[in-house]
Coordinates of all heavy atoms in Angstrom, one line a residue:
N155 N 19.9 -1.7 -15.7 CA 19.6 -2.7 -14.7 C 18.1 -2.6 -14.4 O 17.5 -1.5 -14.3 CB 20.3 -2.5 -13.4 CG 21.8 -2.7 -13.5 OD1 22.2 -3.6 -14.3 ND2 22.6 -2.0 -12.8
T156 N 17.4 -3.7 -14.3 CA 16.0 -3.8 -13.9 C 15.9 -4.5 -12.6 O 16.7 -5.4 -12.3 CB 15.2 -4.5 -15.0 OG1 15.7 -5.8 -15.2 CG2 15.2 -3.7 -16.3
V157 N 14.9 -4.2 -11.8 CA 14.6 -4.8 -10.5 C 13.5 -5.8 -10.7 O 12.4 -5.5 -11.2 CB 14.2 -3.8 -9.5 CG1 13.9 -4.5 -8.2 CG2 15.3 -2.7 -9.3
E158 N 13.8 -7.1 -10.4 CA 12.8 -8.1 -10.5 C 12.1 -8.2 -9.2 O 12.7 -8.6 -8.2 CB 13.5 -9.5 -10.9 CG 12.5 -10.6 -11.0 CD 11.4 -10.4 -12.0 OE1 11.7 -9.8 -13.1 OE2 10.2 -10.7 -11.7
L159 N 10.8 -7.8 -9.2 CA 10.0 -7.8 -8.0 C 9.0 -8.9 -8.1 O 7.9 -8.7 -8.7 CB 9.4 -6.5 -7.8 CG 8.8 -6.2 -6.4 CD1 9.8 -6.3 -5.3 CD2 8.2 -4.8 -6.4
A160 N 9.3 -10.1 -7.6 CA 8.4 -11.2 -7.7 C 7.0 -11.0 -7.0 O 7.0 -10.2 -6.1 CB 9.0 -12.5 -7.1
P161 N 5.9 -11.6 -7.5 CA 4.6 -11.3 -7.0 C 4.5 -11.4 -5.5 O 3.9 -10.6 -4.8 CB 3.7 -12.3 -7.7 CG 4.4 -12.5 -9.0 CD 5.8 -12.4 -8.7
H162 N 5.2 -12.5 -4.9 CA 5.0 -12.6 -3.4 C 5.8 -11.5 -2.7 O 5.4 -11.1 -1.6 CB 5.5 -14.0 -3.0 CG 7.0 -14.2 -3.1 ND1 7.6 -14.5 -4.3 CD2 8.0 -14.2 -2.2 CE1 8.9 -14.7 -4.1 NE2 9.2 -14.4 -2.9
R163 N 6.9 -11.1 -3.2 CA 7.6 -10.0 -2.6 C 6.9 -8.7 -2.7 O 6.8 -7.9 -1.8 CB 9.0 -9.8 -3.2 CG 10.0 -10.9 -2.8 CD 11.4 -10.5 -3.3 NE 11.9 -9.3 -2.7 CZ 12.6 -8.3 -3.4 NH1 12.9 -8.5 -4.6 NH2 12.9 -7.2 -2.8
F164 N 6.3 -8.5 -3.9 CA 5.5 -7.3 -4.1 C 4.3 -7.3 -3.2 O 3.9 -6.2 -2.6 CB 5.0 -7.3 -5.6 CG 4.1 -6.1 -6.0 CD1 4.6 -4.9 -6.0 CD2 2.8 -6.3 -6.3 CE1 3.8 -3.8 -6.3 CE2 2.0 -5.3 -6.7 CZ 2.5 -4.0 -6.7
A165 N 3.6 -8.4 -2.9 CA 2.5 -8.5 -2.0 C 2.9 -8.0 -0.7 O 2.1 -7.2 0.0 CB 2.0 -9.9 -1.9
G166 N 4.0 -8.4 -0.2 CA 4.5 -7.9 1.2 C 4.8 -6.4 1.2 O 4.5 -5.7 2.2
L167 N 5.4 -5.9 0.1 CA 5.7 -4.5 0.1 C 4.5 -3.6 -0.1 O 4.4 -2.5 0.4 CB 6.7 -4.2 -1.0 CG 8.1 -4.8 -0.8 CD1 8.9 -4.7 -2.1 CD2 8.8 -4.1 0.3
L168 N 3.5 -4.1 -0.9 CA 2.3 -3.3 -1.3 C 1.4 -3.2 -0.1 O 0.7 -2.1 0.0 CB 1.6 -4.0 -2.4 CG 0.4 -3.2 -3.0 CD1 0.9 -2.0 -3.8 CD2 -0.4 -4.1 -4.0
A169 N 1.2 -4.2 0.7 CA 0.2 -4.2 1.8 C 0.2 -2.9 2.7 O -0.8 -2.3 2.8 CB 0.3 -5.4 2.6
P170 N 1.4 -2.5 3.2 CA 1.4 -1.3 4.1 C 1.1 0.0 3.3 O 0.5 0.9 3.8 CB 2.8 -1.3 4.7 CG 3.6 -2.2 3.8 CD 2.7 -3.2 3.3
A171 N 1.5 0.0 2.0 CA 1.3 1.2 1.2 C -0.2 1.3 0.9 O -0.8 2.4 0.9 CB 2.1 1.1 -0.1
V172 N -0.9 0.2 0.6 CA -2.3 0.2 0.4 C -3.0 0.6 1.7 O -4.0 1.4 1.6 CB -2.8 -1.2 -0.1 CG1 -4.3 -1.4 0.1 CG2 -2.4 -1.5 -1.5
D173 N -2.6 0.1 2.8 CA -3.3 0.4 4.1 C -3.2 1.9 4.3 O -4.1 2.6 4.7 CB -2.6 -0.3 5.2 CG -3.0 -1.8 5.3 OD1 -4.0 -2.2 4.5 OD2 -2.4 -2.6 6.1
R174 N -2.0 2.5 4.1 CA -1.8 3.9 4.4 C -2.7 4.8 3.5 O -3.3 5.7 4.0 CB -0.3 4.3 4.1 CG 0.0 5.7 4.5 CD 1.4 6.1 4.0 NE 1.5 6.3 2.5 CZ 1.1 7.5 1.9 NH1 0.8 8.5 2.6 NH2 1.2 7.6 0.6
A175 N -2.7 4.5 2.2 CA -3.6 5.3 1.3 C -5.0 5.2 1.6 O -5.8 6.1 1.6 CB -3.3 5.0 -0.1
F176 N -5.5 3.9 1.9 CA -6.9 3.7 2.2 C -7.3 4.4 3.5 O -8.3 5.0 3.5 CB -7.1 2.2 2.3 CG -8.5 1.8 2.7 CD1 -9.6 1.9 1.9 CD2 -8.8 1.4 4.0 CE1 -10.9 1.6 2.3 CE2 -10.1 1.1 4.4 CZ -11.1 1.2 3.6
R177 N -6.5 4.2 4.5 CA -6.8 4.9 5.8 C -6.9 6.4 5.7 O -7.7 7.0 6.3 CB -5.9 4.4 6.9 CG -6.1 2.9 7.3 CD -5.1 2.4 8.2 NE -5.4 1.0 8.6 CZ -4.5 0.1 9.0 NH1 -3.2 0.5 9.2 NH2 -4.9 -1.1 9.4
A178 N -5.9 6.9 4.9 CA -5.9 8.4 4.7 C -7.2 8.8 4.1 O -7.8 9.8 4.5 CB -4.7 8.8 3.9
G179 N -7.7 8.1 3.1 CA -9.0 8.5 2.4 C -10.1 8.3 3.3 O -11.0 9.2 3.4
M180 N -10.2 7.2 4.1 CA -11.3 7.0 5.0 C -11.3 8.0 6.2 O -12.4 8.5 6.6 CB -11.3 5.6 5.6 CG -11.6 4.5 4.5 SD -13.2 4.7 3.7 CE -14.3 4.3 5.1
L181 N -10.1 8.4 6.7 CA -10.1 9.4 7.7 C -10.5 10.7 7.2 O -11.2 11.5 7.9 CB -8.6 9.5 8.3 CG -8.4 10.5 9.4 CD1 -9.2 10.1 10.6 CD2 -6.9 10.5 9.7
A182 N -10.1 11.1 6.0 CA -10.5 12.3 5.4 C -12.0 12.3 5.2 O -12.7 13.4 5.4 CB -9.8 12.5 4.0
G183 N -12.6 11.2 4.8 CA -14.0 11.1 4.7 C -14.8 11.3 6.0 O -15.8 12.0 6.1
R184 N -14.2 10.8 7.1 CA -14.9 10.9 8.4 C -14.8 12.4 8.8 O -15.8 13.0 9.3 CB -14.2 10.1 9.4 CG -14.8 10.1 10.8 CD -13.9 9.5 11.9 NE -12.8 10.4 12.1 CZ -11.8 10.1 12.9 NH1 -11.7 8.9 13.5 NH2 -10.8 11.0 13.1
D185 N -13.6 13.0 8.7 CA -13.4 14.4 9.2 C -14.0 15.4 8.2 O -14.2 16.5 8.6 CB -11.9 14.6 9.4 CG -11.3 13.8 10.5 OD1 -12.1 13.2 11.3 OD2 -10.1 13.7 10.5
G186 N -14.1 15.0 6.9 CA -14.6 16.0 5.9 C -16.1 15.9 5.7 O -16.5 16.4 4.6
G187 N -16.9 15.4 6.6 CA -18.3 15.4 6.4 C -19.0 14.1 6.7 O -20.2 14.0 7.0

């Protein structure tokens, strides 16, 4: 079985994952120097 993840559905799922990783990196940058 394969999961069909249409682009518009993917866009909604991806946004919070992108935000989490980006904010983690920027926070580490602020606290790490």
Side-chain angles (χ1 to χ4, degrees):
N155 293 328
T156 58
V157 178
E158 179 57 40
L159 193 58
H162 69 280
R163 288 190 58 219
F164 180 64
L167 293 170
L168 187 69
V172 166
D173 285 350
R174 185 190 73 85
F176 174 75
R177 288 171 178 160
M180 292 302 291
L181 181 62
R184 186 195 70 187
D185 295 344

